[in-house]
Amino acid sequence: MSNSSELPAFSHSELHWHSINWELMYQRVRGLQVRIAKATLKSDWRQVKQLQRMLTHSFAAKVIAIRRVTENRGKSTPGVDGAIWNTPASKWNAISKLSRKGYKPKPLKRVYIPKANGKRRPLGIPTMTDRAMQALYLLALEPVAESQADRNSYGFRPNRSCADAIEQCFVNLSRKSSAQWVLEGDIKGCFDHISHEWLITHIPMDKVILRKWLKAGFMESGKFNPTDAGTPQGGIISPVLANLALDGLEAVLEAHFGKKNTKASYKTKVNYVRYADDFIITGISKELLEREVLPLVRAFMAGRGLQLSKEKTLITRIDEGFDFLGQNLRKYNGKMIIKPSNKNVKVFLRNIRDYLNSHKTVPAKAVIAKLNPMIRGWCNYHRWVCASETFKYVDYRIWKMLWQWCRRIHQNRHKRWVKEKYFKTVGERNWVFSAPKPNREDGYYRLLNAARVKIDKHVKIRALANCYLPDDEQYFERLKMQRLKKSLAGSMKLWKIVERQDFKCSICRQQFNSQDEWDIHHIIRRVDGGSDISSNLTMLHINCHRQLHNMTDGSPSTPIMFI
């Protein structure tokens, strides 16, 4: 595989973003990532360094990095230079900017976002060029991070989620013989205080580039501020750097208390689960966690420039329960039950109330368009635990807020008139908040009912599975398929379409994830007589859909092969 010399291989007529063969690009990058992961497992760091250099200099990796930063949520948020790449031409021209030689990152743009406790979290927004460079080097660093990661670390890792971490907590705490005490760890300003020298010494990547990112500084109120510690929240590569800094604590605990399912571990019952910078450690007694586990954790964190928060680091008995990742874990008469935490429910309902209070005169259909994604996202997060009663309570509270919202608009109308205008009967459901669809008889937009979201059992990922190793490839394909099936469970038509495609995009041939954004494309356009039957539909990634329309240029005569 050659490096930037691949660029002239495209003829003049093909020098266009939408002419890129994405399937080939992903194949080339994937091949190098597999080799990096294998070399990491052998601790062949010289080979890792050579392969990382090949990857970061390759044309394929550069275009994938650009595609990632121009399709994520922050694609329209500029850095200090005000530049965004929102056209195919700007994306293509960006390829030549991703060069190590002469690269100098610009300062981050500092912004603040509100936290649940009322405080504000600082975010550093890099420029598009710096984001793309971070995405490029992340392609080379992530296989190393995955091959070295703690078994029970679940945050900011491919194919892992909060639901996996919660399920592992259930495994560690649900049995009668399980540990009864839990250490809830909270790292004080994790992203802001990680030691730069530790990162530069221990992170297996280009040290020159890493030092430039860490020392780039940030702009706030027109003033430049240097950075002496921490990795900026907002950078694409920052979560992986933080994971690498925190990885190793599980091995330290196992060295002192024994590996899981050994005689030593049965005596202490010390188990560890981490999601990003939040973690819990179980133990057989409060004294064990206070006198033996806590000093080990503090010493480990101190070596990386970090310290635990005295106020938020707690030791709790499982019968009293504790909150972790928005869930409440507690044993009731010896039975482990996990529910959405009261704090999380209150924050969710407050967000809905704030929206309704600030949008007192918008049409009902706009309210439904805003609230449905909020309700769906919150319910999908909690659908893997005992949330049925909470969902019913949330429905009641939302109905009450909507009734107040309607009454406030129509203060001079009778309650029956308000009810008939906004609340309909759908099957056996009464009081369904609805809004008429324009130009359609008996057509209505409906507010999503949380209680109708199906509670399901989450299948936890295998702890040692590595998505960059060929031995685990089939396992991850099955896992993605199962999770995609659950996310599409409400639509058999969509399931039929994606199953026909072998769960892969018809253009780039990459397997769909349940988190992917996708479009439905008509193979024969409706204006040319095509119908909405499933055989005439195909599921595509949003960028691939755009690319397809650019290739066909609106012409029905252009042949496109769907595999």
Side-chain angles (χ1 to χ4, degrees):
M1 178 175 179
S2 61
N3 50 24
S4 57
S5 61
E6 292 180 42
L7 191 57
F10 288 83
S11 67
H12 181 73
S13 62
E14 292 175 323
L15 290 180
H16 191 277
W17 180 256
H18 287 310
S19 68
I20 295 172
N21 183 341
W22 289 107
E23 183 179 3
L24 179 62
M25 299 298 103
Y26 280 108
Q27 284 177 356
R28 289 179 173 178
V29 169
R30 170 75 180 177
L32 281 174
Q33 288 178 321
V34 168
R35 293 173 64 188
I36 291 171
K38 289 180 176 179
T40 302
L41 292 176
K42 296 176 182 177
S43 297
D44 188 349
W45 299 112
R46 184 175 180 179
Q47 178 76 350
V48 168
K49 187 176 180 179
Q50 291 175 347
L51 292 169
Q52 285 182 326
R53 187 183 184 281
M54 288 175 62
L55 183 57
T56 55
H57 284 70
S58 71
F59 174 79
K62 289 179 181 179
V63 295
I64 289 175
I66 292 169
R67 181 177 182 177
R68 174 171 180 175
V69 301
T70 55
E71 292 183 16
N72 61 14
R73 291 184 187 177
K75 61 187 176 183
S76 301
T77 306
V80 293
D81 60 356
I84 57 173
W85 300 339
N86 56 0
T87 64
S90 61
K91 296 174 187 179
W92 182 263
N93 293 333
I95 299 172
S96 60
K97 298 178 183 178
L98 303 189
S99 173
R100 184 182 186 276
K101 186 176 180 181
Y103 170 66
K104 185 178 180 181
K106 289 183 169 59
L108 305 169
K109 183 171 76 174
R110 173 63 62 90
V111 298
Y112 292 89
I113 60 172
K115 297 171 66 175
N117 59 7
K119 296 182 180 180
R120 298 191 304 164
R121 175 182 284 114
L123 284 185
I125 301 177
T127 64
M128 292 299 294
T129 301
D130 294 335
R131 273 180 252 177
M133 282 292 283
Q134 289 188 19
L136 175 62
Y137 279 83
L138 178 59
L139 289 171
L141 181 61
E142 199 166 55
V144 179
E146 279 298 292
S147 302
Q148 293 185 314
D150 286 343
R151 285 197 319 273
N152 292 305
S153 164
Y154 297 97
F156 303 117
R157 294 181 60 192
N159 304 298
R160 286 165 169 82
S161 65
C162 292
D164 290 309
I166 294 294
E167 188 65 24
Q168 184 61 36
C169 292
F170 182 84
V171 170
N172 291 339
L173 293 165
S174 60
R175 300 182 183 91
K176 288 184 179 179
S177 58
S178 297
Q180 298 298 307
W181 292 89
V182 178
L183 168 66
E184 304 170 60
D186 185 274
I187 303 171
K188 186 184 293 183
C190 177
F191 282 86
D192 297 328
H193 297 106
I194 297 177
S195 167
H196 281 183
E197 293 309 311
W198 190 94
L199 289 172
I200 293 168
T201 302
H202 294 91
I203 299 298
M205 65 168 288
D206 190 314
K207 310 295 184 184
V208 175
I209 294 292
L210 178 58
R211 183 180 291 274
K212 286 181 179 181
W213 284 336
L214 296 176
K215 303 297 183 182
F218 63 91
M219 298 293 294
E220 186 175 13
S221 302
K223 182 182 177 182
F224 175 79
N225 299 271
T227 47
D228 300 318
T231 104
Q233 293 190 60
I236 287 178
I237 204 170
S238 295
V240 175
L241 296 179
N243 266 344
L244 284 165
L246 296 175
D247 281 334
L249 180 55
E250 191 167 24
V252 170
L253 294 172
E254 286 179 348
H256 283 77
F257 302 105
K259 291 187 176 182
K260 192 172 183 180
N261 297 328
T262 62
K263 191 173 182 180
S265 70
Y266 280 126
K267 292 182 179 180
T268 59
K269 298 177 182 175
V270 171
N271 292 291
Y272 169 77
V273 179
R274 178 170 69 83
Y275 186 93
D277 58 343
D278 293 324
F279 65 89
I280 66 158
I281 301 174
T282 67
I284 198 168
S285 68
K286 185 177 182 180
E287 291 73 23
L288 174 77
L289 294 174
E290 281 181 341
R291 298 176 185 176
E292 298 186 46
V293 174
L294 204 50
L296 283 176
V297 175
R298 284 177 175 151
F300 177 87
M301 296 298 172
R304 288 146 175 79
L306 301 171
Q307 56 181 312
L308 297 178
S309 169
K310 292 182 179 179
E311 299 79 18
K312 297 180 181 178
T313 299
L314 308 171
I315 298 177
T316 311
R317 187 173 175 83
I318 190 62
D319 293 338
E320 298 172 6
F322 65 96
D323 291 349
F324 185 56
L325 302 178
Q327 317 275 16
N328 179 263
L329 297 87
R330 182 178 174 183
K331 273 190 174 179
Y332 297 83
N333 298 322
K335 183 177 181 180
M336 184 75 173
I337 296 180
I338 305 175
K339 301 185 291 186
S341 70
N342 290 336
K343 182 179 177 181
N344 187 272
V345 174
K346 287 178 181 178
V347 170
F348 172 64
L349 292 174
R350 184 170 65 241
N351 290 337
I352 291 180
R353 185 178 64 248
D354 291 345
Y355 170 78
L356 293 175
N357 288 340
S358 59
H359 294 77
K360 298 177 182 178
T361 59
V362 298
K365 67 177 182 180
V367 172
I368 294 172
K370 176 66 178 181
L371 295 190
N372 272 353
M374 294 174 64
I375 297 170
R376 184 179 292 109
W378 187 82
C379 291
N380 283 342
Y381 180 82
H382 291 290
R383 64 183 294 201
W384 313 111
V385 298
C386 302
S388 296
E389 293 301 317
T390 306
F391 286 178
K392 292 176 184 177
Y393 170 74
V394 163
D395 279 335
Y396 166 71
R397 289 292 306 275
I398 292 174
W399 170 83
K400 199 168 183 178
M401 286 186 279
L402 288 170
W403 178 251
Q404 292 172 349
W405 181 84
C406 296
R407 292 283 292 150
R408 184 170 49 207
I409 297 173
H410 304 286
Q411 294 181 6
N412 297 325
R413 293 286 189 174
H414 196 275
K415 292 180 181 179
R416 184 180 297 277
W417 183 93
V418 175
K419 193 264 184 189
E420 291 176 353
K421 179 174 175 63
Y422 290 103
F423 297 92
K424 308 296 181 183
T425 298
V426 181
E428 297 179 354
R429 297 167 57 206
N430 297 319
W431 293 85
V432 179
F433 188 70
S434 308
K437 292 182 179 179
N439 304 322
R440 289 184 61 178
E441 294 183 4
D442 299 326
Y444 286 91
Y445 298 104
R446 311 283 191 192
L447 186 72
L448 181 68
N449 186 250
R452 294 176 68 85
V453 175
K454 182 182 177 183
I455 305 297
D456 208 342
K457 174 72 174 174
H458 179 76
V459 179
K460 191 183 82 69
I461 193 170
R462 268 195 343 232
L464 294 176
N466 186 338
C467 62
Y468 293 105
L469 294 180
D471 293 345
D472 291 327
E473 189 168 349
Q474 287 187 346
Y475 168 74
F476 278 102
E477 286 183 356
R478 289 195 303 271
L479 183 70
K480 289 178 183 178
M481 182 188 70
Q482 290 168 0
R483 293 182 175 179
L484 184 63
K485 182 177 181 180
K486 288 183 178 180
S487 69
L488 298 177
S491 175
M492 292 306 297
K493 186 174 183 179
L494 289 176
W495 173 249
K496 185 177 180 180
I497 293 169
V498 75
E499 187 178 36
R500 187 184 68 228
Q501 298 173 204
D502 195 25
F503 309 98
K504 295 178 181 178
C505 173
S506 300
I507 300 297
C508 68
R509 303 304 298 159
Q510 297 302 301
Q511 190 171 22
F512 284 108
N513 285 315
S514 56
Q515 297 86 7
D516 284 349
E517 294 184 354
W518 41 264
D519 280 341
I520 293 295
H521 173 75
H522 288 76
I523 300 173
I524 301 175
R525 300 184 308 175
R526 279 178 289 189
V527 295
D528 298 320
S531 67
D532 288 331
I533 61 173
S534 59
S535 60
N536 189 48
L537 301 175
T538 185
M539 189 182 291
L540 308 173
H541 288 117
I542 287 179
N543 184 74
C544 295
H545 196 196
R546 245 184 251 123
Q547 178 183 7
L548 176 60
H549 279 283
N550 185 273
M551 291 163 57
T552 57
D553 195 28
S555 171
S557 61
T558 309
I560 299 293
M561 289 295 293
F562 290 102
I563 303 172

